[in-house]
Amino acid sequence: MTSQAVDHVALLPLYAAAGTAILALLADLFAGKRAVTITATLLGALATGVTALAVGPWDATFCVPGGCSWVPSWPAAATAALFAGLTAGVLALSVPALRLGAAPAGEFCFLLACSMTGGVTVAYAGDLLTLIVGLETLTLPLYVLVGLRRFAPGERTTTDAASASVTFFLISVISTAIALLGIALNYAATGAVHLGMLGPAPAPFAALAGVGAALLVIGLAFKVAAVPLHAWAPATYDGAPVPIAAYLSTASKLGGVLALAAVAARLDTSAVVAALAVLTMTVGNLVALRQTRMVRLLAWSSMAQAGYILAALALGAPGVPAALAYAVFFMVLELIAFGVVVALRPTAADGGTLDDYRGAARRHPWLGAAFVLALAGLAGLPPGLAGLFAKVSVVEALVAEGWTWLAAVVVINAVIALAYYVRVGALLWTGPAEDTERRPVSRPVAAVLVATTIVAVVLGFAPQLLLGTL
């Protein structure tokens, strides 16, 4: 029996991500200063992204005849860099609260870096088991990070951190069990776990493989808060620290999208994914109309956006580029929206109600402009050209493949969503004239907002930069 040599160059992005988690732990242990721990973690996250792009496409490793478990490619490298960038951005948004002592900096940075390690694993995964391990590594630290939420004195909220964390954990365990059962049934029918070997099962086992594929999709749908596995999202987002809610809505959701794309591109799951898409975008938009709390509104909006991504994935392999492009545009715009919420709210406070943002753009014009850009992009309107292009690409893909009815559902839901996006945008500019309170914006938060806004504008005017990578 011969053992395969491990290609350590291919694994460098994973080493960098895991090394960042260890670095955060050691920095907190030996330095004991928040600034040192935060800086070390930020540098580690940036180094992870640079390493992924530097390695780029490379020889696959952990291979057997027919498939490999670790597959470096340009899309994988770009996705790993995106995970690293989102981690750095969320950590920067958390800096004001960490300085205030709202959460222990060492534990916070360590857990966030561990989650980034899971995201990198998902990006390079070449088989279903590595994909599940990566997703769980991405998700497990978030159970604790959600529970680290500490409320400001006298603050009231409808959801506390403990219940949000427990809700997230329980539903996640169930969904993971469903996904693993789906993998087991599909393996029993086809004998394949590597993504390159997935395909139709022999005739006697076709029904078993179909059930396995459906269960796998349903289990993974939890990660993107798809209906009916969505109940955890609003409570968890609202109970978590706002930057962690941003991470749940961006990096965690990106992991789920990548996993679903890998499965939908290779197995016949169109019916299940299409049903999930229609339910998710419709329920998300309709319930978002009734929200009075900002983070809950963004949570339901995020679900609706996931529905648009699922609509593209219902096409199978032809819809994957449009789905991934939409996911990247959505992540950038969502991070801008949550960043503005962090900037406008008191340090370590929750997201507050919609009325708390009344007139905010009159006090902070540039924050109001960034928020309007994000809302317009999520709605698919100018000047949010990135979001507009994302929606057009999904609709075009659906029409090109003959799924006109699903394209019509996407358009109708986009029109429904205008109601709450316009309502929030209008609130930012309407308020009492005497309300002139101005709160300084933390430099790390401002840096994140400037960087993400620039990225959103560039992608809006030159989307081919992203499509060339995909």
Side-chain angles (χ1 to χ4, degrees):
M1 180 176 179
T2 59
S3 60
Q4 179 197 8
V6 177
D7 190 334
H8 292 284
V9 174
L11 295 172
L12 280 177
L14 181 64
Y15 294 157
T20 300
I22 296 173
L23 180 64
L25 199 62
L26 294 177
D28 183 61
L29 178 64
F30 292 107
K33 296 181 178 180
R34 296 191 191 100
V36 174
T37 304
I38 294 170
T39 302
T41 309
L42 278 172
L43 292 176
L46 295 175
T48 300
V50 171
T51 302
L53 295 175
V55 172
W58 198 265
D59 294 334
T61 190
F62 299 118
C63 297
V64 297
C68 298
S69 296
W70 191 267
V71 186
S73 62
W74 275 125
T79 306
L82 180 58
F83 275 114
L86 291 172
T87 302
V90 168
L91 181 55
L93 293 180
S94 306
V95 167
L98 293 176
R99 286 174 176 170
L100 193 65
E107 289 88 334
F108 188 95
C109 293
F110 171 72
L111 291 168
L112 197 59
C114 286
S115 187
M116 176 181 68
T117 305
V120 171
T121 303
V122 170
Y124 288 93
D127 65 67
L128 293 175
L129 296 178
T130 304
L131 197 62
I132 291 294
V133 169
L135 279 174
E136 291 309 299
T137 306
L138 171 64
T139 307
L140 281 171
L142 298 178
Y143 306 147
V144 183
L145 286 170
V146 169
L148 287 179
R149 171 81 168 89
R150 295 177 184 174
F151 297 109
E155 183 183 6
R156 295 176 180 268
T157 185
T158 56
T159 309
D160 62 45
S163 63
S165 181
V166 171
T167 300
F168 186 25
F169 170 74
L170 291 177
I171 300 181
S172 179
V173 168
I174 295 171
S175 68
T176 301
I178 294 172
L180 288 173
L181 178 59
I183 292 174
L185 293 178
N186 189 74
Y187 177 75
T190 64
V193 292
H194 288 88
L195 300 180
M197 300 173 66
L198 294 180
F205 305 106
L208 182 63
V211 173
L215 289 175
L216 178 55
V217 167
I218 292 171
L220 294 176
F222 161 84
K223 304 298 182 183
V224 297
V227 175
L229 296 172
H230 68 286
W232 64 274
T236 302
Y237 281 42
D238 204 21
V242 176
I244 296 303
Y247 197 80
L248 286 168
S249 185
T250 54
S252 179
K253 189 155 290 187
L254 178 61
V257 169
L258 290 173
L260 284 168
V263 173
R266 296 169 176 86
L267 300 177
D268 184 11
T269 59
S270 295
V272 177
V273 176
L276 290 173
V278 173
L279 288 172
T280 302
M281 70 177 83
T282 304
V283 172
N285 281 321
L286 291 178
V287 180
L289 293 172
R290 302 177 58 250
Q291 299 307 304
T292 58
R293 293 184 61 80
M294 180 60 78
V295 171
R296 281 182 177 265
L297 184 145
L298 291 176
W300 287 104
S301 164
S302 175
M303 286 171 49
Q305 301 292 335
Y308 304 141
I309 297 172
L310 289 172
L313 291 179
L315 300 176
V320 168
L324 294 182
Y326 195 108
V328 173
F329 288 134
F330 162 70
M331 304 305 161
V332 175
L333 295 169
E334 196 80 351
L335 190 59
I336 294 173
F338 276 99
V340 174
V341 171
V342 171
L344 292 176
R345 296 289 292 155
T347 303
D350 65 2
T353 65
L354 296 184
D355 284 338
D356 293 330
Y357 296 82
R358 191 177 295 277
R362 299 175 64 180
R363 301 187 297 274
H364 299 278
W366 76 275
L367 289 177
F371 209 173
V372 167
L373 175 68
L375 294 172
L378 294 172
L381 295 174
L385 296 179
L388 175 61
F389 174 82
K391 280 189 172 55
V392 170
S393 64
V394 169
V395 172
E396 283 184 343
L398 290 170
V399 172
E401 295 296 322
W403 288 61
T404 308
W405 69 271
L406 189 52
V409 174
V410 169
V411 172
I412 291 171
N413 272 276
V415 173
I416 295 173
L418 290 177
Y420 59 85
Y421 287 129
V422 171
R423 175 164 61 111
V424 174
L427 274 175
L428 296 173
W429 300 95
T430 58
E434 64 272 13
D435 186 3
T436 57
E437 177 189 357
R438 297 177 65 89
R439 183 179 296 108
V441 180
S442 170
R443 288 183 179 178
V445 175
V448 172
L449 288 173
V450 170
T452 49
T453 301
I454 291 173
V455 171
V457 172
V458 170
L459 290 180
F461 281 101
Q464 63 273 15
L465 295 176
L466 176 60
L467 292 178
T469 302
L470 298 176

